[in-house]
Amino acid sequence: MPKLNLSARPLNLKLKYPFTISRGSMTQAKNVLVSIRFDDMVAYGEAAPSMYYGEDQSSVIKFIQAFVKHRPIDDYIMNIQKLSDDLTSFNLTQGGFSSSARLATEMAFWDLVGKINNKSLYQFFFQDDPFIKNGNGYKLPQTSFTIGLDNVMVIEEKVNDALSRGYNILKIKLGRGYEEDLRILDTIQNVVKDRKCTLRVDANGG
């Protein structure tokens, strides 16, 4: 059986708009790409480290490299549950705790399982294709689009952009004070007034 080769590297993604919340702003998503090479296949997983949880690119890569060094990764193709259990129990002294690293590693193995079996992953989890549109819309629940903090002109542009791409649930970041937050909400409400939309307020760190 061919050997697995698992690696992790930085993946920097430039954002279309600066993403701002109450704690700060970023113009680039500093993610980590996990790759598994097996025979003539390459499988992928992606981590999005969060500084809020003490993660960054370096700590994620360190965790993955330590895990690969201390665990028999070739065994996991046949046992994803064991992979999940081992990732969960992997302790601080062996490379630090990182939820996003664990998820990206498991994601890459699931991608590999799908490619080995020539199946989409939905076929492992659902009887029917959940992405087929029926009379009542898609079977899967809709996801939301986050509107980060910005000046109201840019926020209006972001909302129109999200609506044009079919998003009908908007998660609105707040945290700039009562008057400014109301101005943001009024702006968004005015943009969506003729649309059937769900608006959700996310004031978390605000």
Side-chain angles (χ1 to χ4, degrees):
M1 183 175 174
K3 288 284 187 180
L4 293 181
N5 187 311
L6 189 150
S7 62
R9 67 170 179 83
L11 177 65
N12 297 323
L13 305 172
K14 184 179 179 181
L15 304 181
K16 182 175 182 179
Y17 300 101
F19 185 70
T20 303
I21 61 175
S22 59
R23 295 187 301 274
S25 183
M26 66 180 186
T27 58
Q28 189 180 66
K30 295 185 176 181
N31 292 356
V32 172
L33 184 68
V34 177
S35 304
I36 300 176
R37 296 187 179 275
F38 178 75
D39 203 6
D40 60 347
M41 290 171 282
V42 183
Y44 299 101
E46 185 176 346
S50 171
M51 289 298 294
Y52 186 75
Y53 296 106
E55 299 178 332
D56 58 21
Q57 284 179 325
S58 177
S59 67
V60 168
I61 292 172
K62 180 181 178 182
F63 179 97
I64 293 169
Q65 289 175 339
F67 183 79
V68 170
K69 181 179 179 180
H70 290 90
R71 293 291 187 269
I73 62 169
D74 294 277
D75 297 348
Y76 296 132
I77 298 180
M78 306 302 295
N79 195 337
I80 299 291
Q81 184 58 56
K82 177 173 171 53
L83 170 67
S84 182
D85 293 341
D86 286 354
L87 283 165
T88 301
S89 64
F90 199 60
N91 64 51
L92 292 169
T93 61
Q94 294 171 308
F97 179 86
S98 175
S99 295
S100 64
R102 290 160 49 198
L103 293 170
T105 304
E106 189 170 335
M107 189 189 306
F109 271 93
W110 273 117
D111 188 32
L112 180 60
V113 167
K115 287 173 176 173
I116 289 172
N117 291 278
N118 195 30
K119 287 184 178 181
S120 296
L121 287 180
Y122 79 80
Q123 293 172 307
F124 284 94
F125 301 115
F126 304 98
Q127 284 188 326
D128 302 313
D129 186 345
F131 300 100
I132 293 176
K133 190 170 186 178
N134 57 32
N136 298 317
Y138 291 100
K139 297 177 185 178
L140 289 179
Q142 293 186 59
T143 188
S144 60
F145 187 96
T146 301
I147 305 296
L149 291 168
D150 217 313
N151 69 66
V152 290
M153 290 182 64
V154 176
I155 284 176
E156 186 173 340
E157 183 182 334
K158 289 179 181 179
V159 172
N160 281 316
D161 189 15
L163 296 176
S164 71
R165 289 191 278 153
Y167 289 95
N168 294 311
I169 304 174
L170 304 179
K171 184 170 77 167
I172 306 161
K173 291 286 188 179
L174 297 178
R176 284 192 165 166
Y178 182 74
E179 296 295 335
E180 183 64 19
D181 286 350
L182 280 183
R183 191 174 296 112
I184 290 170
L185 290 173
D186 286 342
T187 297
I188 294 174
Q189 178 117 351
N190 187 57
V191 175
V192 305
K193 63 184 178 183
D194 297 322
R195 299 284 295 266
K196 187 176 180 180
C197 290
T198 298
L199 304 182
R200 295 172 177 165
V201 169
D202 181 1
N204 53 26

